[in-house]
Amino acid sequence: MPQYRRFTAEDAIQFANQHSELFGEHSKLTAVSFGDNHMNQVFRVKNQFNTSLIVKQALPFARGLSDRWPLTLDRSRIEAQALQTFGKAAPLLVVEVLHYDVDLAAMLLEDLDHLTLLSTALTEGRQFQQLGTQLAEFIVTAGFANSDFSLDLPAKKSRQIQFLNPEPLQISEDLLFNDPFSNNERNQIDASLYPLAQHIWLDEQLQAKVAALAANFRSKPQTLVHGDLNSSSIFATADQLKVIDAEFTGFGPFGLDAGLFVGSLMFHYCLAPALQPDQSKAKDQQNYLHNQIKLFWQQFVQQFLQICRQQCRDPLFGNELYQQQFVADVLRDLTGYAGCELIRQVIGTFRSPALGTIKSPAVRLQISQHALTLGQRLILQHQQMSSIDQLLSWLPTGSPQ
């Protein structure tokens, strides 16, 4: 039984070659470390014909992060099993785990270098017309398969134990609910934003709503959630989509992943006027993002109610009125978590790097203000959300001056 050691490039080559038949006996393999990751190291192992696989190994510590966030290597086992569980429900929409080694805390993954990271693509103004439909399919099918609608009580409780993941979930809670809503030393924030940030930090009503959302995050284990499903955890092309990086997985509210995804698209909506070359292109990108959010929710509702009608195993949860009430509750949670994601992208330990590419301080300030104002509104009024059109009506209009 191998003992844990931090991989070198040569270790990654041996690991990939040993656990895959993709390369062949006479392959000449190279490995390159890539990505800026505080919790893992990632290698691309490639042969002379440019056939490649990814080796991801968990680190026993969080590089450059707070001592408040101790980590165990078991999170790698949880991530690998979560990706496999999600992949079983939605095989075309999740990165494939080819092998996992519990002692080395390492997994072998398919390489998605033929796809584009969604955050990069949206920043560049690219458009994928199937995005909303595909994300709805992932969240519905993976969420349904791990929920009360599909599992009996013993199976659900067993799965909750399997995916008990407290250390990464503490990081998620801090990054989403704690740090952006307090004057935390980890926060990255432009000095010009301090007046608005202080308003957020001192707003008791807003803090109460965030506390309620955090309490739901802790105590509403409706399904196995990805936990970090923003545009940096999705690869896409015009007709293909793959979800990656499930290290923050655990049981939580059905609306969490949906809210993080919608909040991420809303943030790109706010960014578009500053990143696109002209006003017409910016408006076109905003229309695209608006339509994808609406399409996502319409498809979520349609697909969720359909899978409930066809596959719900428990007559109690098969009640159609309950299912409709459940969907309405998901929309309310989605709205609140989208608001938290918007604020996290501007004020937080890992704020959006796209903000740093906006050269004009005045434009950067206005974009940030739009995102923060929208985020606050979503949080404060999430319990009153009754339709996706209502949510979309709150998106900011106009270009930065």
Side-chain angles (χ1 to χ4, degrees), residues 179-196:
D179 292 4
F181 299 94
S182 65
N183 191 9
N184 192 289
E185 63 181 7
R186 290 190 293 261
N187 287 338
Q188 299 180 37
I189 180 173
D190 289 343
S192 60
L193 272 178
Y194 263 99
L196 185 51

Side-chain angles (χ1 to χ4, degrees), residues 234-343:
I234 300 165
F235 275 86
T237 61
D239 57 1
Q240 190 176 18
L241 180 144
K242 294 275 189 174
V243 171
I244 64 167
D245 288 351
E247 56 206 330
F248 295 101
T249 193
F251 271 77
F254 220 110
L256 178 68
D257 284 345
L260 297 180
F261 172 65
V262 168
S264 183
L265 292 196
M266 287 183 156
F267 182 69
H268 283 284
Y269 180 101
C270 294
L271 281 172
L275 298 182
Q276 300 313 313
D278 55 58
Q279 189 172 348
S280 63
K281 175 62 176 174
K283 186 62 177 176
D284 179 66
Q285 187 68 1
Q286 287 185 322
N287 287 338
Y288 161 74
L289 292 166
H290 175 286
N291 293 338
Q292 288 302 310
I293 293 170
K294 185 169 185 176
L295 177 64
F296 164 77
W297 182 247
Q298 289 173 336
Q299 287 295 310
F300 177 93
V301 174
Q302 178 182 327
Q303 293 182 33
F304 180 80
L305 294 178
Q306 180 177 354
I307 199 172
C308 282
R309 285 195 299 270
Q310 295 174 346
Q311 299 183 32
C312 187
R313 297 184 178 181
D314 192 320
L316 183 65
F317 301 117
N319 179 280
E320 291 187 9
L321 180 58
Y322 169 72
Q323 292 166 7
Q324 292 168 0
Q325 293 170 343
F326 186 91
V327 167
D329 187 54
V330 171
L331 179 61
R332 290 188 287 268
D333 283 350
L334 176 162
T335 303
Y337 293 126
C340 293
E341 174 66 12
L342 276 162
I343 293 176

